[in-house]
Amino acid sequence: MIKRFQAWLQQKEQSSKPQELTRDNVPEHVAIIMDGNGRWAKHRGLPRVAGHHNGMKAVKRVTIAANDMGIKVLTMYVFSTENWKRPKDEVDFLMKLPQEFLAIELDELIEKNVQVRMMGYREDLPEHTLRALEEAERKTKHNTGLILNFALNYGSQREIVESVRHIAREVEAGRLNVDDIEEATIHSHLLSNGLPDPDLLIRTSGELRLSNFMLWQLAYSELWFTDIYWPDFNEQHLREAVIEYQRRSRRYGGLQ
Ligand code: FPP
């Protein structure tokens, strides 16, 4: 009897799950760990930087697709605070990509009402990288469409440490009571302040970890992993991820 009820319940759940993307439950914020550039290149006998260069083209494809789908914020993990450990040539190449991307794409992004932002530790970036990003931020700051948020020289543990330091200084200065520190206090000191937490996290290339990415903000995000290497990721893969997101039931620790 119980088995028949469970089978009926499962069938009911399956049939109510959307097979197509529905416009009314699009994730507001999608965050992506773009992984697999190096392996994509290696499989083709190309240098790793060719993978990053093709990864840049995927950034464009996915930004346009996200905008068309009605996603409001797209955060892309471009460079972590740990990525400085890579060979200098590769780091130099990665640091030139935002500039190259924006030189080619900024006009179209402006036309599509996209707002460009950068989330990360600016002081460590080469001047040319920062200049390109800040110019894009300035030129798009009044745009009201998709927020394209580049996580660059971003590390979540450092972000949490710095947030705690700020809060401790406010307590020290007598502006804040220890007992008034809440989740929202930490949240408002993070680099992502002002943005909603990601509803959906995508990681490409088959790796199943968070790699120091938005650890606080991902507390209740839906996670979607794919074996596709980032340079091959396209509109259809984004649709698949969003359709899967729409099938999930988000309970935030509660019941249904
Ligand atoms: C991880 O793959 C990827 C990165 C560290 C760089 C991501 C950068 C881009 C996709 C291009 C950025 C584009 C713009 C517009 C700024 P990996 O190199 O670790 O791959 P592997 O694990 O296969 O070696």
Side-chain angles (χ1 to χ4, degrees):
M1 181 65 183
I2 290 177
K3 277 213 170 108
R4 269 175 58 198
F5 175 69
Q6 280 173 334
W8 171 82
L9 201 63
Q10 206 175 5
Q11 199 184 15
K12 190 170 169 290
E13 270 178 12
Q14 287 296 336
S15 59
S16 63
K17 285 175 179 175
Q19 303 301 313
E20 277 304 314
L21 192 141
T22 52
R23 299 292 297 191
D24 59 351
N25 182 24
V26 171
E28 189 179 7
H29 185 172
V30 176
I32 308 186
I33 302 178
M34 307 180 286
D35 197 10
N37 294 353
R39 278 163 286 165
W40 181 93
K42 194 173 174 201
H43 283 192
R44 287 163 178 75
L46 297 169
R48 291 178 55 80
V49 292
H52 296 316
H53 202 257
N54 280 276
M56 181 182 83
K57 294 180 188 163
V59 169
K60 162 74 185 302
R61 272 199 302 276
V62 172
T63 302
I64 301 300
N67 194 34
D68 291 347
M69 232 176 247
I71 290 166
K72 299 276 183 284
V73 185
L74 181 64
T75 295
M76 312 286 241
Y77 202 8
V78 176
F79 193 91
S80 74
T81 45
E82 289 71 40
N83 285 151
W84 297 104
K85 294 177 199 156
R86 295 188 176 208
K88 184 176 181 310
D89 284 359
E90 185 172 337
V91 170
D92 289 349
F93 189 89
L94 284 168
M95 286 298 150
K96 283 188 191 131
L97 282 184
Q99 197 172 339
E100 180 177 343
F101 175 81
L102 292 165
I104 303 168
E105 310 296 354
L106 189 58
D107 286 349
E108 189 181 336
L109 294 177
I110 291 173
E111 202 180 295
K112 291 199 179 287
N113 199 20
V114 171
Q115 188 187 125
V116 177
R117 288 200 199 174
M118 190 231 140
M119 174 177 86
Y121 296 97
R122 297 177 185 232
E123 60 275 24
D124 310 324
L125 292 175
E127 211 226 307
H128 63 87
T129 313
L130 192 57
R131 199 176 338 113
L133 282 159
E134 290 192 339
E135 187 187 321
E137 283 185 319
R138 190 170 40 77
K139 286 188 175 163
T140 63
K141 74 173 174 209
H142 297 301
N143 290 358
T144 54
L146 174 84
I147 296 174
L148 174 58
N149 183 33
F150 289 119
L152 195 85
N153 195 26
Y154 173 86
S156 188
Q157 291 181 337
R158 175 168 169 187
E159 179 188 38
I160 294 170
V161 168
E162 301 226 349
S163 162
V164 170
R165 275 198 194 131
H166 271 118
I167 295 167
R169 282 199 197 100
E170 284 172 42
V171 170
E172 208 172 45
R175 289 193 295 271
L176 183 66
N177 283 325
V178 169
D179 292 336
D180 291 336
I181 299 173
E182 307 177 323
E183 276 141 63
T185 322
I186 306 258
H187 203 266
S188 67
H189 285 79
L190 299 176
L191 293 169
S192 59
N193 182 31
L195 296 177
D197 289 341
D199 300 292
L200 171 64
L201 170 83
I202 296 173
R203 180 168 190 150
T204 59
S205 92
E207 305 296 343
L208 305 177
R209 56 178 172 267
L210 294 179
S211 300
N212 200 14
F213 186 55
M214 302 188 88
L215 302 177
W216 180 282
Q217 299 91 330
L218 291 172
Y220 281 103
S221 309
E222 296 298 322
L223 312 181
W224 191 81
F225 298 97
T226 173
D227 288 341
I228 303 283
Y229 291 146
W230 175 251
D232 288 331
F233 195 88
N234 61 28
E235 301 81 344
Q236 193 46 40
H237 300 121
L238 181 67
R239 282 183 79 80
E240 271 175 42
V242 171
I243 289 171
E244 169 63 27
Y245 166 85
Q246 294 184 333
R247 286 178 185 158
R248 306 253 180 106
S249 124
R250 301 184 77 188
R251 292 191 290 272
Y252 301 92
L255 298 176
Q256 205 59 4

